[in-house]
Each structure stands twice: as C-alpha cells, then as structure tokens.
C-alpha cells in the first residue's frame, strides 16, 4: 500500500494525473474503471486542461459504478465524465464503455458484467482492469457498495444492483472480485469528512471491516491512496 498525501484537492488531482499519464504511456492498452461522485471532477478538469498530449486511443474507459438514471441526468456519473473530460479529449467512441443507467437495473447489471468479460483480459478466471479508481463516502462505502449491503462485495457476479441507503437511488456496481483482481487500485479521497474512516481503515481499527472500503486489497498488492491533508488529518 502506498499513501500519497498532497496539501490540497487540486494537488491531489495533479499528482494522480501525473501517475495516470505515466501508466498510460507504459501500457500498450490501459483498461480503467472510473469512479463517480464529486472528487473525480477536479482530476478530470486538470487532465483535460493539462494533458492534451495523452494518447487516449490506447485507453478504454469503464465505470466502477453508475446511478440508475439516463445519461443526460445530472446524477449520471457518465454525464459528469463527459462534461469534465470526455467532451474535451480525443478518445475513440468505441473505447468508452458506459453503464446504461437508463435500462432496467437487473438486466443492465447482467449486460455490463458480460461487457467486462468480453472487453477485459481474463486473469484468475476474472476480468482484470489495469486500474480501478475508487472514491470513498463518509460512511466508508466505495464504488456503490454501502455498509448496509456489504455482502454484495462477495458476490460471484461481476456487477450487482445496489441501493443508496438515504436516497433509495438504485445503482449498478462492480463487485469485490473485480476490484481486488485489478492490477492497481487507486483511492481518490479528499476532505475532512473522510478523515475518520481513512484512519479507521488504514490503521485497521476495531470495526473497520464493516466499511466496504476496508475490503479493498488487490491480490497484486498495488493499492494507492491519493489523499489531501484534510482527509489524511488523522493518520498524518
Ligand atoms: C458514486 C461513487 C461513490 C463516490 C463516493 C465519494 O457514484 O457516488 O462512485 O463511490 O466515489 O461517494 O464521493 P465524493 O467524491 O463525492 O466524496
């Protein structure tokens, strides 16, 4: 596990973007699962502005989770990514593998699970991403696996339907077997509201196992936390 702490959210975006640019340059093809929420916006804005020279034709993009809404909805992780990155870079359309949030969740979880089987290399009998990018909620959830549905982590399916504990919003999420089969997993976590869970998970405090984010342990051993000082305030 590597912990990369930067003073500000923008510097987290810069440091993560530097890391991603190197990864893309090193690989012939790079398969990346994107996270949703607000933190990726800063990273996408930074990359769109500063990384015009990235060869995106070698990159395939997927989503680790999506909200069950149309791609035009303000809640859509796909729309957020289009607005902050995809509309500003030159990436082949066929390299963008979005979750169809507008379709019936149970059917879409199955369909997207098959897409991952077809598009990704199969390693350990499981589709393998080169990089899975994850955020973490104040409650310790990651992707769309929330504490009240932590059993979804151990699902034998590639994707599952989840329910947001407060809004009841349905989500499509990849499961633990895909996350922990990735070559590298990178957490992008910023803000003081995350500090308590970051401390609990990284220092393996009593009860940390009840937070889905604590189950992230790629078999490759390549786990990187990109944190700002606020999120790292209780481990620093
Ligand atoms: C989503 C996410 C979710 C997110 C965390 C952190 O679709 O909401 O993928 O797991 O990463 O909730 O969100 P913030 O970055 O907004 O704090």
């Amino acid at each position: 596990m590597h912990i990369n702490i930067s003073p500000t959210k923008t510097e987290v975006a810069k440091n993560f973007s530097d890391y991603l640019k190197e990864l893309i340059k090193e690989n012939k093809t790079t398969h990346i699962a994107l996270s949703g929420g607000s933190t990726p916006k800063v990273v996408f804005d930074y990359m769109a502005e500063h990384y015009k020279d990235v060869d995106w034709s070698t990159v395939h993009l997927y989503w680790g989770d999506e909200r069950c809404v149309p791609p035009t909805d303000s809640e859509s992780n796909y729309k957020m990514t289009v607005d902050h990155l995809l509309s500003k870079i030159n990436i082949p359309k066929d390299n963008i593998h979005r979750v169809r949030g507008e379709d019936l969740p149970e059917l879409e979880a199955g369909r997207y699970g098959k897409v991952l089987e077809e598009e990704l290399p199969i390693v350990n009998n499981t589709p393998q991403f080169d990089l899975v990018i994850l955020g973490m909620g104040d409650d310790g959830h990651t992707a769309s696996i929330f504490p009240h549905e932590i059993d979804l982590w151990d699902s034998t399916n590639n994707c599952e339907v989840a329910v947001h504990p407060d809004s009841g919003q349905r989500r499509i999420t990849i499961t633990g077997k895909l996350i922990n089969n990735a070559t590298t997993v990178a957490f992008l976590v910023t803000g003081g509201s995350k500090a308590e869970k970051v401390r609990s998970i990284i220092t393996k405090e009593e009860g940390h196992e009840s937070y889905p984010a604590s189950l992230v342990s790629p078999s490759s051993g390549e786990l990187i936390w990109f944190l700002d000082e606020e999120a790292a305030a209780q481990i620093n």
Side-chain angles (χ1 to χ4, degrees):
M1 184 203 302
H2 313 275
I3 302 175
N4 181 308
I5 302 171
S6 312
T8 65
K9 207 171 186 171
T10 305
E11 283 161 296
V12 168
K14 180 186 179 320
N15 289 333
F16 176 74
S17 301
D18 289 347
Y19 163 80
L20 189 55
K21 185 177 178 183
E22 283 315 304
L23 183 74
I24 291 169
K25 236 180 1 189
E26 280 160 21
N27 288 351
K28 197 158 153 295
T29 304
T30 309
H31 295 276
I32 304 172
L34 301 173
S35 66
S38 62
T39 305
K41 293 177 185 171
V42 188
V43 172
F44 295 158
D45 289 342
Y46 188 92
M47 292 200 85
E49 190 185 338
H50 297 278
Y51 285 7
K52 306 249 183 273
D53 56 343
V54 167
D55 178 4
W56 293 99
S57 70
T58 67
V59 178
H60 283 252
L61 297 177
Y62 310 79
W63 279 261
D65 66 326
E66 180 60 285
R67 292 91 180 270
C68 295
V69 295
T72 51
D73 189 290
S74 61
E75 278 281 302
S76 164
N77 285 337
Y78 170 74
K79 182 179 184 313
M80 178 272 285
T81 312
V82 170
D83 294 348
H84 291 269
L85 181 67
L86 302 180
S87 59
K88 303 170 183 173
I89 61 172
N90 187 10
I91 185 169
K93 283 207 170 354
D94 293 348
N95 290 24
I96 300 170
H97 310 275
R98 83 175 175 89
V99 177
R100 296 178 60 81
E102 67 272 30
D103 291 350
L104 200 64
E106 287 72 18
L107 290 183
E108 180 54 13
R111 183 198 74 86
Y112 202 65
K114 285 204 186 71
V115 166
L116 300 179
E117 290 282 344
E118 287 149 15
E119 296 288 337
L120 295 173
I122 302 297
V123 176
N124 310 322
N125 290 323
T126 302
Q128 184 176 64
F129 289 104
D130 295 292
L131 177 65
V132 170
I133 305 172
L134 294 174
M136 184 188 73
D138 300 0
D139 61 355
H141 81 260
T142 194
S144 277
I145 300 184
F146 297 92
H148 75 291
E149 290 180 325
I150 197 165
D151 297 346
L152 291 179
W153 184 271
D154 297 322
S155 165
T156 55
N157 297 322
N158 292 336
C159 300
E160 286 284 354
V161 178
V163 179
H164 191 285
D166 308 329
S167 67
Q169 181 187 59
R170 303 181 81 197
R171 307 275 188 97
I172 306 286
T173 184
I174 60 174
T175 57
K177 71 170 189 174
L178 264 73
I179 292 172
N180 282 342
N181 196 47
T183 306
T184 302
V185 177
F187 271 116
L188 287 177
V189 178
T190 61
S193 66
K194 311 289 174 73
E196 191 250 331
K197 293 295 184 295
V198 167
R199 183 200 71 229
S200 174
I201 291 168
I202 290 181
T203 64
K204 297 193 181 316
E205 276 175 7
E206 196 185 335
H208 72 280
E209 306 85 351
S210 64
Y211 309 134
S214 76
L215 303 175
V216 176
S217 176
S219 46
S220 67
E222 278 302 304
L223 173 60
I224 313 169
W225 289 81
F226 288 88
L227 305 170
D228 67 357
E229 278 175 5
E230 285 183 25
Q234 299 182 23
I235 61 167
N236 218 2

